[in-house]
Amino acid sequence: MNLSTAARAALATMCAAGALLATGCKEVQDIREELGWSQQKEAPPPPPVVSLDDRWVPADVAVADAAQTQWSSRWWQWASRFDGKAPYQDRDGSRCAEHQDGPVWFLAGTDGSFDAMRTCTIPADRHLFVPLITRAVGAGEPGETEALSCTQKQQRAANFVDHVYTGLVLLDGRPIGQYQRMRAAGESCFTLTSNDPAVATDGYWLMLKPLPPGQHTLAIAAAYREGPRQMMQNFQYTLEVQGAEQAADAAAVAEEGGAGFDDAADLADGVEAAD
């Protein structure tokens, strides 16, 4: 028996409605299979829901056996190692990889005088640590003749951060975390350089878990205001996160060329209590 496609489809529908005998439905079952009706694929499971908060490490959680207050001191020591232009004065991210090593990769903010658009290649499996806004105090204001104690420096750094009134982090275009929960104040003063043996710091810092390989966009804005004094910083990174194989190849090239970076963890040797 030859049936047109329309007639065969109608026959299959009638069988499904119970209008034909069982013997006729056997042929209809064959028709259904031929038409592909009985081979409909199941809907794929929905993708897992990943909260951006899952990427963020709150300020009271340690990373690589160090509190984030320690990482803030190490960040300032990292920033002080650059000759000439500091990393927070960099406009395009060309110095992003200098003096980097270890489990945490430092990113710079700005000095508040410009908006930065930077590009940075990050090795695989690195945490990222970057200031929303921060202050380091190593000496008094111009004209002050009396040296400040460590406690006084901490108070001045804290006063600056107390007057930060806004902060925003966008990862791949979506907000992450609450900036009020990102504050990390140094518990003691630390050595920045030989000329700055006792420096205090305070600020809002973002610690991110290692990002998946590929391209990501990280944008940060924050602002401080106290009377006539004010500061606003606004910067964005395009991050190229390497896969494990890419990172291994890059390490091999660096080793062959005799290049190497200072271990950020070694900076901890300079941290000391002072008062």
Side-chain angles (χ1 to χ4, degrees), residues 31-67:
I31 296 173
R32 289 172 59 85
E33 293 178 357
E34 184 178 336
L35 294 175
W37 292 7
S38 61
Q39 299 177 359
Q40 294 180 354
K41 297 181 180 179
E42 295 182 1
V49 177
V50 178
S51 169
L52 286 177
D53 284 350
D54 292 339
R55 303 287 188 206
W56 162 54
V57 183
D60 58 352
V61 177
V63 172
D65 298 324

Side-chain angles (χ1 to χ4, degrees), residues 70-166:
Q70 293 174 277
W71 286 113
S72 67
S73 300
R74 296 177 188 182
W75 184 94
W76 276 107
Q77 291 169 325
W78 165 76
S80 72
R81 299 171 74 89
F82 288 72
D83 295 329
K85 184 187 297 184
Y88 47 80
Q89 296 172 318
D90 179 19
R91 291 180 178 270
D92 60 7
S94 57
R95 310 189 74 182
C96 169
E98 294 185 29
H99 308 298
Q100 302 272 17
D101 199 6
V104 176
W105 189 277
F106 295 130
L107 297 176
T110 73
D111 61 6
S113 64
F114 65 98
D115 295 341
M117 298 288 290
R118 299 175 179 142
T119 300
C120 184
T121 298
I122 309 294
D125 302 324
R126 297 295 199 281
H127 281 75
L128 301 179
F129 192 62
V130 54
L132 277 68
I133 192 166
T134 185
R135 175 80 184 275
V137 178
E141 298 289 342
E144 290 184 337
T145 58
E146 186 176 348
L148 300 178
S149 67
C150 176
T151 299
Q152 289 173 316
K153 294 173 183 179
Q154 289 175 311
Q155 291 171 343
R156 295 196 179 189
N159 180 70
F160 173 88
V161 181
D162 288 342
H163 287 83
V164 172
Y165 64 90
T166 186

